[in-house]
Amino acid sequence: MDITIKIDIEKAIADTLAPEKLAPILDKHVTEAITSAISNATGYNSDFRKALSEQLKEAMPHGLGLDDVAKFQHILNQAMQSAVSGSNLSLVQTALSQAVMEALPTLPASVTMTELLAMARDDFCKEDGEAFYAYLEESEIGGGGGFLYLDSDATPGKALFGREKTRSEAKYSAQNAIHFNKDGDVYALKLDGVKIKPASLPTVISRFDTVLMSMYVGRTRLIADLDDDEIRSLSREQYND
């Protein structure tokens, strides 16, 4: 008995190539390709891991303590920027950062200016009611945010032509400067006189330094709960009744 099977080849091919049939296949293989690429780029024998390991050995030869977390995040952000490129850069960096943040010790998600000034007073070792410099300049654009300047010297910088600098003039000499937007995200930072950049390696040794760096790398937001008059009051001499 003869069996004859007629197949419409063109229709079969057209049906197979239909978008609704190809989409799941493409999704699966694209996901596998991205997963493999990330694994290769950051895996055990990757250049990324080796480079990061060397940087951490130099930065933290004695291990990772709580006050080193922000520095670690700073180094990691720089390493990820170099290791991952292309159209998926932002997506991959976000995923990697989230994975790292979940594994690291906890830092505060936000800190108020009141809390930050208390940390600054302690970090500046201001005893017996000594004053330090603190100046808040609200941003005139963007609907909020501003610039907070801090220094252990109550009048940072030299006098101008025989007269003492005003508080607004002294801001340019302040050792610490925090630039933040209306949401409390810090987008620029000067720490101990050094403008922090992705390629710089700051020395983070105190809780105050750590919180500043944590704000810079996006782990901590600054809550503006004070105006400049209140900032000035908290930075003046403090005496116990």
Side-chain angles (χ1 to χ4, degrees):
M1 180 177 63
D2 295 330
I3 298 176
T4 302
I5 300 175
K6 293 182 179 181
I7 300 176
D8 188 338
I9 299 296
E10 292 184 2
K11 183 177 184 305
I13 293 175
D15 289 344
T16 301
L17 296 178
E20 61 271 16
K21 290 189 176 181
L22 282 181
I25 300 173
L26 288 174
D27 286 345
K28 178 176 182 295
H29 286 287
V30 168
T31 299
E32 289 177 351
I34 293 176
T35 302
S36 177
I38 294 175
S39 178
N40 291 337
T42 62
Y44 184 76
N45 292 317
S46 66
D47 292 337
F48 167 80
R49 180 171 294 220
K50 294 175 183 176
L52 183 59
S53 177
E54 289 302 314
Q55 290 184 61
L56 290 177
K57 284 180 183 178
E58 294 177 5
M60 290 168 283
H62 303 299
L64 183 66
L66 181 59
D67 284 348
D68 293 313
V69 172
K71 182 191 291 186
F72 175 87
Q73 186 78 42
H74 183 56
I75 298 170
L76 183 63
N77 288 352
Q78 177 189 352
M80 287 194 298
Q81 180 73 34
S82 301
V84 185
S85 61
S87 60
N88 289 316
L89 171 63
S90 177
L91 179 64
V92 173
Q93 283 187 323
T94 299
L96 290 175
S97 296
Q98 184 62 39
V100 171
M101 288 172 69
E102 290 176 357
L104 289 176
T106 300
L107 282 168
S110 62
V111 62
T112 65
M113 286 183 179
T114 302
E115 293 169 331
L116 190 64
L117 261 66
M119 293 180 201
R121 178 174 290 280
D122 182 64
D123 189 73
F124 296 156
C125 300
K126 293 298 178 180
E127 299 177 355
D128 300 323
E130 292 179 287
F132 61 95
Y133 178 77
Y135 175 63
L136 175 64
E137 183 179 41
E138 295 183 2
S139 177
E140 297 180 355
I141 59 176
F147 316 93
L148 178 62
Y149 302 91
L150 300 166
D151 196 288
S152 61
D153 189 339
T155 55
K158 297 181 180 179
L160 293 175
F161 308 108
R163 67 174 177 82
E164 186 177 293
K165 288 183 177 182
T166 65
R167 289 179 68 242
S168 61
E169 290 170 337
K171 68 183 182 182
Y172 300 107
S173 300
Q175 288 291 294
N176 304 285
I178 305 165
H179 298 196
F180 60 97
N181 63 22
K182 63 181 180 180
D183 297 318
D185 298 316
V186 173
Y187 59 87
L189 176 70
K190 182 166 74 169
L191 176 60
D192 294 333
V194 178
K195 290 183 178 180
I196 304 303
K197 302 176 181 178
S200 64
L201 184 61
T203 300
V204 179
I205 59 174
S206 70
R207 182 68 177 176
F208 175 64
D209 292 336
T210 299
V211 170
L212 292 185
M213 276 299 299
S214 182
M215 290 191 293
Y216 177 70
V217 299
R219 293 176 65 88
T220 301
R221 291 187 304 112
L222 178 63
I223 298 175
D225 63 332
L226 304 173
D227 59 25
D228 184 52
D229 289 337
E230 293 168 319
I231 290 280
R232 187 176 188 180
S233 176
L234 287 175
S235 63
R236 285 175 171 167
E237 296 90 343
Q238 302 290 318
Y239 298 103
N240 295 324
D241 295 333

